Each structure stands twice: as C-alpha cells, then as structure tokens.
Amino acid sequence: MGIKITPADSAFSKCVRLRVNYVCERCGAHHDKSSTGLHCSHHHRRGHWGVRLDPDNAESLCYGCHSLMGGTQERLNAVMTEAQQELLIEKKNDVGLGKLYRKTNGKGDVAKHYRLELVRIQKLRDEGEIGRIDFEGFY
C-alpha cells in the first residue's frame, strides 16, 4: 500500500509544477497543465513528514527524468549546494517538525496554505509572469 495523497499533497504538487510553468526541471520538456507526464518529485521521500511539503524538497520532473533521476543523490547534487542539502537533511530529521505536519494529516490550515499559494502563483502567471515563481512552505 502506498502513501495516501492528502489534500495538502495535492495542492503542494500543483504548486511545484506551476512554479516552473509545467516544465521539467531536468530536461526542459514543456507539458500541458492537464498532463499526467509531469510529476512532483521529492528529493527525500514523502514518508519523511518534516520535508514532505517543503518546497526545497521537491521539483518538477517529467516521467522519464523522474524514473531516471528522481530522489537520487546525483540529482540532489545537481540542484543544491552542500549547505542547502545539509539544511534539508536537518529538517528531514527534525522529529518535532515531522510530528507537526503529520498531526495535520495533510488537511486544514496546511492544505489551505498550499491552495492559497497555488492561487497566488496562478494569478502571477495570468498577469504574464515568466520564469520560476517560488512559494512559501507552511512551516
């Protein structure tokens, strides 16, 4: 049985893909908004609640790149400095942060936060903003 996708997971995944306007961050392939070929890839798997919904822990990868490079140390080295990786590992190992996220069960305020971030990013896109649009994590 896989990890259940919560309302926060769904909104977070959409934010990750929209922040780069539905482009694979590895190969540059463009995807339609409705495409299932572009994934939200986590550097550290979603079972680590401390970073499950952390914008720094996820990137937009097409199916092929996700299958080939998703979650690998090689990919992490390509997109993050050593200091950024160490900070992400600290968050991943922060039991208190993990408990805070897990207690929400991916619902309520955390899901609302990512839905609002999604609306904000979409508004910027509609106004003609191009390039990467970063979004804030909940914690």
Side-chain angles (χ1 to χ4, degrees):
M1 183 168 122
I3 294 176
K4 181 181 176 193
I5 296 174
T6 69
D9 288 324
S10 179
F12 175 80
S13 175
K14 291 174 185 174
C15 286
V16 168
R17 289 177 282 139
L18 183 57
R19 77 175 165 189
V20 292
N21 210 14
Y22 301 97
V23 172
C24 176
E25 294 185 67
R26 180 174 177 265
C27 72
H30 294 264
H31 291 263
D32 184 74
K33 183 178 182 176
S34 62
S35 171
T36 59
L38 193 64
H39 300 181
C40 172
S41 175
H42 290 76
H43 300 298
H44 298 284
R45 60 185 174 79
R46 290 188 312 125
H48 295 289
W49 277 88
V51 291
R52 179 176 179 148
L53 300 171
D54 188 316
D56 294 333
N57 187 45
E59 65 179 330
S60 177
L61 294 179
C62 68
Y63 173 80
C65 291
H66 193 191
S67 298
L68 181 67
M69 300 292 290
T72 65
Q73 187 63 46
E74 182 181 352
R75 182 65 190 155
L76 200 54
N77 291 341
V79 296
M80 285 188 170
T81 66
E82 194 173 314
Q84 290 170 320
Q85 290 181 45
E86 288 174 9
L87 181 59
L88 195 58
I89 289 170
E90 282 181 34
K91 289 181 189 179
K92 179 187 97 169
N93 294 331
D94 185 335
V95 175
L97 181 59
K99 283 182 180 179
L100 282 174
Y101 265 122
R102 189 153 174 98
K103 187 167 52 170
T104 71
N105 202 25
K107 298 178 182 175
D109 288 343
V110 68
K112 180 180 178 182
H113 169 78
Y114 288 111
R115 285 192 302 267
L116 289 173
E117 283 294 282
L118 184 60
V119 168
R120 182 185 66 80
I121 298 167
Q122 185 61 61
K123 182 179 180 213
L124 290 170
R125 290 279 179 228
D126 292 345
E127 293 170 352
E129 186 79 24
I130 58 173
R132 183 183 177 101
I133 300 173
D134 286 318
F135 64 98
E136 294 294 320
F138 185 73
Y139 288 113

